């Protein structure tokens, strides 16, 4: 990946600035042309410094940020208020938080959409569990796509947007509430039928001390951490979908070995 790729179109913009400065040299005072060229070089150097610090998922998340958010992070690195490593760590921390949120709300959605599976957990087959998993993940993908459409059309604060967020949290209208019928009914089976099972030590979900410290540093510098989390939602949903599918496949194999 190009070292300047975090800001889509930036290399071209920098080149345009430099070309324009050179073309205007004949009509502008020499000092003005020099200033424009120097500014362009400074912008490119600043961007390169930040880009070199961004790695893998952090770079992917950086590219999801709005232009003004990316520019703010570049300015903070250029000013020395934060380092490129701070930005990398904070972005990684935001992505892990978004994964945890996606996993938790996905688990809730799986239960509310498939309460019948939990009511008869001892007889659930692998095919039923896999179908329920696919349906839940498909519904979440649809909802996240809808959020993106609403954001692009400037409806981020609308009632529709809030309704989609509620649905993503597992509180979709018409869904059976978690634990429905448990109070007066028989105790639920201890057999696990949900692929939303997390290893608490999984580093894909756990913020490191450095990532937490970097997030606090960016917040103090004026960066909106909620904006980072919002931008991370789509990536996190895709990551969690992969994790859940992998666990569902493992569970299905185990059910098959046990005659389920």
């Amino acid at each position: 990946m190009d070292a300047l790729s975090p800001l889509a179109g930036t290399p071209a913009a920098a080149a345009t600035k430099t070309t324009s400065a050179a073309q205007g040299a004949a009509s502008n005072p020499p000092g003005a042309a020099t200033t424009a060229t120097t500014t362009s070089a400074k912008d490119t150097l600043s961007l390169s410094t930040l880009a070199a610090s961004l790695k893998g998922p952090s770079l992917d998340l950086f590219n999801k940020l709005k232009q003004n958010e990316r520019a703010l992070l570049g300015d903070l690195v250029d000013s020395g208020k934060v380092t490129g490593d701070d930005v990398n760590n904070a972005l990684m921390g935001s992505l892990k938080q978004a994964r945890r949120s996606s996993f938790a709300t996905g688990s809730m959605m799986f239960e509310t959409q498939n309460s019948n599976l939990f009511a008869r957990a001892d007889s659930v087959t692998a095919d039923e569990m896999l179908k329920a998993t696919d349906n839940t993940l498909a519904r979440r993908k649809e909802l996240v796509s809808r959020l993106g459409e609403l954001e692009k059309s400037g409806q981020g604060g609308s009632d529709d947007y809030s309704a989609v967020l509620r649905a993503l949290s597992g509180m979709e209208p018409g869904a059976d509430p978690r634990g429905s019928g448990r109070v007066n009914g028989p105790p639920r089976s201890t057999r696990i039928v949900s692929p939303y099972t997390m290893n608490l030590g999984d580093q894909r979900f756990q913020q490191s001390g450095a990532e937490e410290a970097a997030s606090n540093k960016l917040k103090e510098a004026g960066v909106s951490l909620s904006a980072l989390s919002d931008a991370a939602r789509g990536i996190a949903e895709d990551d969690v979908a992969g994790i859940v599918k992998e666990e569902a496949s493992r569970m299905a194999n185990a059910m098959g070995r046990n005659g389920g």
Side-chain angles (χ1 to χ4, degrees):
M1 185 173 291
D2 194 306
L4 298 182
S5 61
L7 285 182
T10 298
T16 301
K17 288 182 181 178
T18 304
T19 301
S20 297
Q23 290 174 340
S27 58
N28 294 332
T34 301
T35 299
T37 305
T38 301
T39 300
S40 176
K42 179 174 177 291
D43 290 345
T44 303
L45 178 60
S46 174
L47 179 58
S48 298
T49 300
L50 176 55
S53 299
L54 301 179
K55 305 173 183 68
S58 294
L59 179 58
D60 294 336
L61 175 51
F62 185 86
N63 284 326
K64 292 287 186 180
L65 298 176
K66 296 177 181 177
Q67 174 66 30
N68 64 308
E69 294 164 350
R70 299 197 302 266
L72 173 59
L73 292 174
D75 289 343
L76 289 173
V77 171
D78 190 43
S79 69
K81 292 181 180 179
V82 303
T83 67
D85 285 340
D86 288 331
V87 175
N88 181 75
N89 286 334
L91 290 173
M92 194 66 243
S94 292
L95 181 53
K96 289 180 178 181
Q97 285 187 321
R99 286 175 185 154
R100 286 201 304 276
S101 176
S102 170
F103 198 94
T105 55
S107 178
M108 181 70 76
M109 178 180 284
F110 185 90
E111 288 210 30
T112 56
Q113 288 192 341
N114 304 287
S115 58
N116 62 312
L117 297 188
F118 294 89
R120 56 181 187 82
D122 290 333
S123 62
V124 171
T125 66
D127 286 344
E128 288 175 321
M129 182 273 297
L130 289 173
K131 182 178 180 181
T133 300
D134 288 343
N135 288 343
T136 298
L137 294 177
R139 179 55 178 158
R140 292 191 69 81
K141 189 175 183 68
E142 175 187 342
L143 290 170
V144 170
S145 177
R146 178 58 179 158
L147 276 185
E149 293 172 358
L150 290 170
E151 288 169 350
K152 287 180 181 178
S153 62
Q155 300 181 65
S158 66
D159 290 341
D160 284 347
Y161 191 84
S162 297
V164 175
L165 286 178
R166 284 195 299 274
L168 271 173
S169 71
M171 296 185 289
E172 194 160 11
D176 207 4
R178 182 176 181 175
S180 176
R182 281 175 59 187
V183 176
N184 298 318
R188 293 201 325 185
S189 169
T190 58
R191 185 182 185 218
I192 297 175
V193 295
S194 171
Y196 282 88
T197 56
M198 181 190 296
N199 178 351
L200 296 180
D202 193 330
Q203 295 303 307
R204 291 172 294 186
F205 297 96
Q206 305 304 320
Q207 262 188 312
S208 69
E211 289 164 353
E212 186 173 356
S215 295
N216 291 334
K217 191 172 181 180
L218 260 63
K219 182 178 181 180
E220 292 172 358
V223 176
S224 169
L225 297 185
S226 62
L228 301 187
S229 297
D230 288 346
R233 182 184 290 115
I235 299 176
E237 286 287 338
D238 288 342
D239 290 347
V240 169
I243 294 169
V244 169
K245 286 180 181 178
E246 183 178 325
E247 178 61 15
S249 178
R250 186 197 66 77
M251 290 173 60
N253 289 334
M255 288 178 173
R257 290 194 299 271
N258 295 323

